Amino acid sequence: MSGELEIDHGGAIAVDTEQMRDVGARVMALTEHFDDARAAIERACHIAGSSSLAGQVDTAALSSCATRIVELRTETEDAATGTLLMADAFEVVELSAEAEALAHSDAAAASALLARRDRLLATDDRIGILAGRLERSGWKEERFEGLGTQWDMGGLLPPVWLIGALVGTTARLGTVLPGMTLKGSVEPVTVTPVRESTPAAPPSTLRGAFERMPKDASAQVAVEKLTFADGSTKYMVYLKGTQNFVPWEAGGSEPWDMKSNAELYTGEKSASYQATLDALEAAGARPGDTVGVVAHSQSGMIAVHLGMESEYDVDFIATAGSPTGGTFRDDQLVVQIAHTDDVVSSLAGEGSPGGTGSPDSFTATRLADPNPGIQDLLLAPHRFEPYLETAEMIDESNDPRAEAVSVERTEYHGEREEPLR
């Protein structure tokens, strides 16, 4: 396994700004105690110097203590002021991110957030400077660690590996914002069950979840119906990544191809997305049913739209190497795994400064393949196996699915009915 694993909430915002302000206020309150201590020492010096104790008390040492207390007061005040300023800077970044997310669905609310941000910025010139530094910090830079140092055939190849990051950050297609839904029409697809089984239990680890991908070579989707002791049900859908990378075969019978990749990334409906919906329906899922989704590569984009616009109550989303990220509700548990040297996941761009999903959601990143070599031409960091290794490095997922008492699993093969000629 390569690279140190980093786990955070997926953005620049990694703290509770109100708690941060509370800490700053508590630290600031300590300055009064330093003032009391200094005053007490000064009184002691005065009493000792004007009484019979003058020869027995080291007033010079006491004065030195008073001086040090004044220094400590200044340091404490600076720390408190800095903490409060950083809380404001974090909130500025957070407000900007929230406003950007709302711009497509609620322009008035977005304007209100920006007005609040601007009022905060106006209180102190330093807040804007700190917020800018925060956004330009390692949060962005580390997202693409290793991309620019992949194998270039001894300098014969241009820096092609940075193309994904460039597209993701400039085209701004890598983050699906609220209100953005897939557009257009889609070719008819046929979904056929190819394998059925009854697993003993749902997976209890993140790696175990990703290992539930379809086993049949022809299947791209696996749906498990989980039945709990109280009779309630939940559906888990496991989605493979792109199955056909050949550009000139795009639009053929295989829905998980480069045509679907391009469509999903640019906000268009794809045959692979439709096949996923059809597989869920075939497995018995109905609008409003609870669904969880585990996806790799292209299917990460499917997972994003399932979680943001489908008629299902999607409460769990886990993606690996997804070209896009979503803006999920705060009651959705979201796990995003991305390799910083994966050109496909770099298409997601800089992500969201405010993170996404519930407070328990997280993004896990690492440099998967630090040694340049011919394997880079085969997109080694994007392959499924390294992502399984990364999932294994994550201690636990705290997944409540382990409570299910029965599991019914069906794997489906989808294909376009009328492939392009």
Side-chain angles (χ1 to χ4, degrees):
M1 298 182 185
S2 302
E4 181 179 353
L5 185 68
E6 297 286 342
I7 298 178
D8 55 36
H9 193 54
I13 306 303
V15 298
D16 184 319
T17 54
E18 289 306 312
Q19 288 186 357
M20 198 172 188
R21 287 194 179 95
D22 181 62
V23 170
R26 288 172 181 269
V27 173
M28 186 66 78
L30 291 176
T31 58
E32 297 180 6
H33 298 290
F34 283 116
D35 290 338
D36 294 340
R38 176 188 53 77
I41 291 174
E42 290 177 346
R43 287 197 300 273
C45 284
H46 176 72
I47 293 172
S50 60
S51 69
S52 59
L53 297 174
Q56 303 177 41
V57 176
D58 189 346
T59 54
L62 282 176
S63 296
S64 178
C65 287
T67 300
R68 180 56 184 148
I69 284 177
V70 171
E71 294 172 349
L72 286 172
R73 185 199 188 284
T74 301
E75 293 172 5
T76 302
E77 186 175 19
D78 289 345
T81 300
T83 301
L84 293 170
L85 282 172
M86 281 306 300
D88 290 341
F90 273 111
E91 185 169 350
V92 163
V93 177
E94 192 171 47
L95 288 170
S96 297
E98 291 177 0
E100 181 181 4
L102 282 172
H104 293 267
S105 58
D106 193 338
S111 296
L113 290 174
L114 291 176
R116 179 179 164 192
R117 179 202 64 183
D118 293 342
R119 288 194 298 271
L120 193 58
L121 286 169
T123 62
D124 194 310
D125 292 340
R126 292 173 292 180
I127 296 174
I129 296 173
L130 289 170
R133 289 176 180 172
L134 182 62
E135 289 192 302
R136 293 190 300 271
S137 67
W139 161 67
K140 288 184 177 180
E141 296 167 359
E142 292 173 2
R143 288 179 65 86
F144 310 122
E145 181 185 0
L147 265 184
T149 57
Q150 296 194 54
W151 193 55
D152 60 1
M153 293 182 65
L156 296 178
L157 284 176
V160 293
W161 310 112
L162 294 173
I163 290 177
L166 179 64
V167 171
T169 55
T170 57
R172 303 185 70 81
L173 296 173
T175 300
V176 181
L177 301 174
M180 290 183 175
T181 57
L182 294 174
K183 309 296 183 184
S185 58
V186 64
E187 311 96 323
V189 293
T190 299
V191 170
T192 306
V194 294
R195 180 173 179 174
E196 296 182 357
S197 59
T198 54
S204 58
T205 64
L206 194 57
R207 176 175 177 130
F210 279 100
E211 287 180 331
R212 299 294 270 260
M213 292 294 176
K215 305 302 181 185
D216 190 283
S218 68
Q220 311 100 334
V221 186
V223 182
E224 294 180 354
K225 180 181 180 181
L226 283 59
T227 302
F228 298 86
D230 62 0
S232 62
T233 59
K234 175 178 179 176
Y235 294 85
M236 287 298 303
V237 55
Y238 302 91
L239 302 169
K240 287 181 178 178
T242 303
Q243 298 299 293
N244 189 338
F245 289 90
V246 181
W248 53 87
E249 294 182 0
S253 60
E254 173 56 66
W256 272 260
D257 63 353
M258 297 305 291
K259 183 175 187 289
S260 289
N261 268 323
E263 288 169 338
L264 289 167
Y265 192 69
T266 56
E268 299 291 325
K269 293 178 180 177
S270 75
S272 56
Y273 182 74
Q274 186 61 49
T276 300
L277 294 176
D278 291 351
L280 276 165
E281 183 178 4
R286 297 294 179 262
D289 284 348
T290 303
V291 171
V293 55
V294 178
H296 173 239
S297 187
Q298 175 185 144
S299 289
M301 297 187 284
I302 296 174
V304 167
H305 287 283
L306 275 177
M308 292 184 62
E309 66 172 275
S310 76
E311 296 180 319
Y312 299 111
D313 178 18
V314 180
D315 66 348
F316 176 71
I317 303 103
T319 64
S322 176
T324 64
T327 311
F328 298 101
R329 304 188 311 267
D330 58 11
D331 63 345
Q332 292 176 296
L333 177 61
V334 181
V335 176
Q336 299 175 102
I337 307 177
H339 294 154
T340 59
D341 52 343
D342 178 359
V343 68
V344 176
S345 66
S346 74
L347 287 165
E350 297 165 348
S352 170
T356 188
S358 71
D360 293 327
S361 299
F362 63 87
T363 295
T365 59
R366 73 178 177 107
L367 177 63
D369 182 26
N371 300 314
I374 195 171
Q375 73 276 5
D376 292 334
L377 297 178
L378 302 175
L379 302 183
H382 182 65
R383 295 176 67 84
F384 186 58
E385 291 73 18
Y387 275 110
L388 279 181
E389 292 182 359
T390 305
E392 189 174 9
M393 295 171 70
I394 299 170
D395 291 335
E396 59 180 341
S397 63
N398 297 319
D399 197 331
R401 289 171 292 155
E403 299 171 0
V405 295
S406 71
V407 183
E408 301 170 43
R409 175 183 171 93
T410 306
E411 298 182 10
Y412 295 91
H413 166 76
E415 64 178 55
R416 290 186 179 91
E417 293 181 5
E418 300 175 3
L420 295 177
R421 302 301 179 188

